[in-house]
Amino acid sequence: MDIPDVYFVGLDDDYCLGDESVTLLGNHPPNGSFSGPGITDNGDATAIFNPNAAGLGGPYSITYSFTDELGCTNSETQQTGVYALPTVSFSGLAADYCEGDAEIVITGSESPDGSFEGTAVFDQGNGTALFYPVIAGVGGPYEITYSYENANGCLGSDSQSTNVNELPEVSFIGLSASYCQT
């Protein structure tokens, strides 16, 4: 008797906490089954791997097993891990600016590897960016996002908003166009 050839597809080597669930497919429906952390909706040679249900850690062993009609059993095991999202932040951005203000330097927590994006934001490529209120123009809120991808491919981001306010009109009265010296 030959041992049944068994394999499955759909499992990546790495996941990030918060990733969507994925469908795993075995090559022997309807009698194959999956086991391991994060496995749900198991049946008919398909299963769902939910990284959030598995939790942080690994390597986790996910196994697909099949027993044929003669009672011969075989299985395949693959490894995966679930990694944390990086915690990122940035500083230097105020809630409000005036339309005539000079550029503002903002700095990310994962300098120099993170990147910035948003209206009138110019990423400097070193974990810093410049925000130009005069380019953004009066209005808002303007959302600025700082993102960083760690070595495991997990992406963390932080967003903040700012407004650009119109300069007030200033005038005064009481001065004459010319005066006499006394």
Side-chain angles (χ1 to χ4, degrees):
M1 284 191 242
D2 289 333
I3 296 175
D5 181 35
V6 174
Y7 64 89
F8 70 96
V9 296
L11 187 69
D12 289 338
D13 294 337
D14 302 307
Y15 291 91
C16 300
L17 200 60
D19 281 354
E20 297 285 323
S21 296
V22 295
T23 300
L24 307 180
L25 301 171
N27 68 320
H28 285 288
N31 297 324
S33 64
F34 288 88
S35 61
I39 295 295
T40 61
D41 298 331
N42 188 10
D44 291 337
T46 64
I48 302 296
F49 175 72
N50 182 335
N52 299 309
L56 291 175
Y60 293 128
S61 295
I62 306 300
T63 302
Y64 175 66
S65 300
F66 172 75
T67 302
D68 68 12
E69 63 278 350
L70 301 173
C72 297
T73 300
N74 198 3
S75 64
E76 178 187 25
T77 299
Q78 296 179 21
Q79 304 288 317
T80 191
V82 179
Y83 299 98
L85 299 175
T87 302
V88 298
S89 62
F90 67 94
S91 60
L93 188 69
D96 290 285
Y97 292 99
C98 294
E99 65 182 314
D101 287 346
E103 73 269 6
I104 310 302
V105 177
I106 50 181
T107 305
S109 61
E110 295 297 327
S111 181
D113 297 320
S115 63
F116 286 92
E117 61 181 40
T119 301
V121 171
F122 296 89
D123 189 79
Q124 301 298 290
N126 60 0
T128 65
L130 299 174
F131 171 68
Y132 289 87
V134 70
I135 294 173
V138 173
Y142 297 113
E143 186 171 301
I144 297 171
T145 301
Y146 175 68
S147 301
Y148 168 73
E149 185 175 315
N150 66 17
N152 296 318
C154 298
L155 183 69
S157 65
D158 180 28
S159 293
Q160 297 177 27
S161 295
T162 190
N163 297 296
V164 178
N165 301 308
E166 193 172 24
L167 290 173
E169 288 188 31
V170 178
S171 64
F172 61 93
I173 57 172
L175 288 181
S176 179
S178 61
Y179 290 95
C180 297
Q181 185 176 9
T182 59

